[in-house]
Amino acid sequence: MIMLLTGLGMFFTKEPVMMIVVAAVLMVMTTYRSLEEEHEKWIQIIYGIILLMFAILSGNVSGFLIFLLYKELKLLYRCAMGTIIFFACQVLFHQGTSVAMVILQTICLMAGYTVLSLIMIGMTRMEQRKVREGQRIVASNISELHEKRLNEQLVKQRYMDEKNARLLERENISRNIHNSVGHSITAAIMTLDAADLLYDVKPDEARKKMNDANTRIRGSLESIRRAVRVLDEANVALTAGELKAELEMIGSEFVMDTSMEIRQNFDDVPDDIKLPHDHVVFLTGVLQEMLTNGVKHGKADTFVVVLTGDSAHIRLDIADNGASDFQDSNAEQRIENGFGIKKIISYVEKCGGKTHFANDHGFKSMVELPIVFGG
């Protein structure tokens, strides 16, 4: 554009060499400004001065149009500056032209400049619309890709949730079978051992114990069925009174099988407190585990079972007088190798409760669970 305006102005200027020099400087400045996104004020001032020099030297239409390059100014200001320069140059340097003709030429130039500006504005808006449309398409593609990835993540998460649910179900079944069947069979074996010792001296009593052992073993099948059925009854709430009855029955059966002493204290827990079904099953399993372990590993013959709690927590403490080798130094290894205790800790941690196991003149265990019902 500068080259075209320079060629046009050469027919009217009286200083062609100077005009070419100014045009060259103007081209350099315009190139520099196109490469820099932000311009300092002194650059804009110098650029405005060079534009003004070019306009004065051309003294015609090119002097008017040159201000199209001054994009930092608003359209109205560019039009006004170009008009003033053109009018002044025509009056000062073209004395033979009448004022009326100069005014007419100025009006025509302003009209032409307005039309040209509107065309430029239209082209700019079209370019902006293309850019916005491109951005919209890119944003739409990104959103679609993000949604696709999100759906993939949801599918993976759903698969993992289902897998974890299956693993939890397996763990519940294995724990319940271990707590019920395992202890029933252990009790039956201990009863058979006692019957073997009594067989020669007290055959009638031995026969009774053998019948009891037979009943225990037959009951193991029902225990398996009950352990599986627990999964379907997980949302059924039970009372603390029902838990007490289960614990008392386990203690009575154990005493009957082993002739051990069990002292129980459940008075601090109101009978009407509601408990999750899983907690009741779990705590009965804990008592079975601790009683069996106390006799089998610690040779204990006396147990103290205490149940405490309120509407927010339930706690079971079990202590025996056995000779356990459980110590702080080997606690981690003992727990890791002990299937029962490991399962107890796993369940309690998942529920947000607390456990404690120690050997203090006998093995002591504490299990505390928060009373929370699922939605």
Side-chain angles (χ1 to χ4, degrees):
M1 180 179 175
I2 295 174
M3 294 178 65
L4 291 174
L5 294 178
T6 303
L8 180 62
M10 290 294 292
F11 294 100
F12 302 95
T13 183
K14 295 180 180 180
E15 299 289 342
V17 177
M18 181 60 69
M19 185 176 177
I20 293 174
V21 173
V22 172
V25 175
L26 185 59
M27 291 179 66
V28 173
M29 290 293 295
T30 303
T31 302
Y32 173 77
R33 290 172 76 252
S34 66
L35 297 177
E36 295 290 334
E37 295 183 357
E38 297 183 0
H39 309 119
E40 297 182 6
K41 285 190 175 181
W42 66 271
I43 294 291
Q44 297 182 20
I45 293 173
I46 293 176
Y47 190 71
I49 293 173
I50 296 174
L51 286 174
L52 182 61
M53 291 175 60
F54 184 90
I56 293 173
L57 288 172
S58 64
N60 58 9
V61 178
S62 61
F64 179 88
L65 297 177
I66 194 67
F67 283 95
L68 283 174
L69 299 173
Y70 208 166
K71 295 181 180 180
E72 281 79 3
L73 292 178
K74 293 183 178 179
L75 176 62
L76 179 62
Y77 297 150
R78 282 186 277 173
C79 181
M81 290 182 65
T83 302
I84 293 172
I85 294 299
F86 175 78
F87 186 83
C89 289
Q90 292 295 94
V91 172
L92 294 176
F93 303 118
H94 301 278
Q95 301 292 337
T97 307
S98 65
V99 176
M101 182 59 67
V102 172
I103 293 174
L104 179 61
Q105 291 175 347
T106 303
I107 293 173
C108 292
L109 280 176
M110 290 181 64
Y113 186 78
T114 302
V115 173
L116 182 60
S117 297
L118 291 175
I119 293 174
M120 293 178 63
I121 291 173
M123 293 176 64
T124 300
R125 289 181 178 178
M126 287 180 61
E127 186 65 26
Q128 290 175 347
R129 278 198 298 269
K130 289 182 180 180
V131 172
R132 286 196 298 269
E133 181 65 18
Q135 292 174 344
R136 187 190 65 79
I137 293 174
V138 172
S140 177
N141 292 336
I142 292 176
S143 177
E144 184 178 353
L145 180 61
H146 177 71
E147 184 177 357
K148 183 178 179 181
R149 290 181 177 177
L150 182 60
N151 290 335
E152 291 177 352
Q153 291 177 355
L154 289 175
V155 170
K156 292 179 181 178
Q157 184 62 41
R158 191 179 301 113
Y159 169 76
M160 293 303 299
D161 290 343
E162 292 175 356
K163 183 177 180 181
N164 291 334
R166 289 195 297 270
L167 291 175
L168 181 60
E169 184 178 0
R170 287 182 183 178
E171 183 176 339
N172 288 337
I173 293 174
S174 66
R175 184 184 65 247
N176 292 333
I177 290 177
H178 173 267
N179 290 341
S180 57
V181 180
H183 294 293
S184 295
I185 293 177
T186 300
I189 292 173
M190 295 173 67
T191 302
L192 289 173
D193 289 341
D196 183 56
L197 295 175
L198 294 172
Y199 185 79
D200 293 330
V201 292
K202 296 180 179 179
D204 293 338
E205 187 174 345
R207 184 177 295 106
K208 180 179 180 301
K209 288 188 176 294
M210 292 171 64
N211 291 333
D212 290 340
N214 185 35
T215 302
R216 293 286 187 195
I217 294 174
R218 291 179 182 274
S220 296
L221 179 60
E222 180 60 28
S223 296
I224 294 175
R225 293 170 179 167
R226 186 168 57 250
V228 176
R229 194 163 55 243
V230 164
L231 297 174
D232 298 328
E233 301 174 352
N235 294 325
V236 178
L238 300 177
T239 64
E242 291 174 299
L243 172 61
K244 293 179 184 180
E246 287 288 330
L247 296 178
E248 288 173 353
M249 183 182 67
I250 291 172
S252 299
E253 290 181 351
F254 195 82
V255 169
M256 178 184 66
D257 291 334
T258 61
S259 300
M260 301 296 172
E261 180 184 0
I262 299 179
R263 296 194 295 270
Q264 298 175 328
N265 184 356
F266 305 151
D267 297 338
D268 289 340
V269 183
D271 290 342
D272 58 351
I273 291 179
K274 296 293 185 181
L275 300 174
H277 187 281
D278 285 349
H279 282 10
V280 174
V281 175
F282 171 74
L283 291 175
T284 56
V286 171
L287 179 57
Q288 290 173 324
E289 177 75 18
M290 294 300 104
L291 292 176
T292 302
N293 286 350
V295 174
K296 183 178 180 180
H297 301 295
K299 309 301 180 184
D301 57 13
T302 302
F303 295 85
V304 177
V305 182
V306 180
L307 186 69
T308 56
D310 50 34
S311 59
H313 297 84
I314 190 74
R315 171 171 168 166
L316 181 64
D317 289 87
I318 305 170
D320 63 46
N321 64 344
S324 174
D325 61 349
F326 187 95
Q327 302 292 339
D328 291 340
S329 59
N330 63 6
E332 184 175 352
Q333 182 180 2
R334 292 290 187 185
I335 291 173
E336 183 65 27
N337 295 334
F339 180 80
I341 294 181
K342 187 177 180 181
K343 287 291 184 181
I344 291 173
I345 294 175
S346 175
Y347 180 86
V348 173
E349 287 181 348
K350 288 179 181 178
C351 295
K354 297 183 294 184
T355 59
H356 180 69
F357 302 95
N359 182 15
D360 183 13
H361 303 291
F363 190 75
K364 293 178 174 58
S365 60
M366 183 279 292
V367 173
E368 182 177 314
L369 294 169
I371 300 177
V372 180
F373 293 91

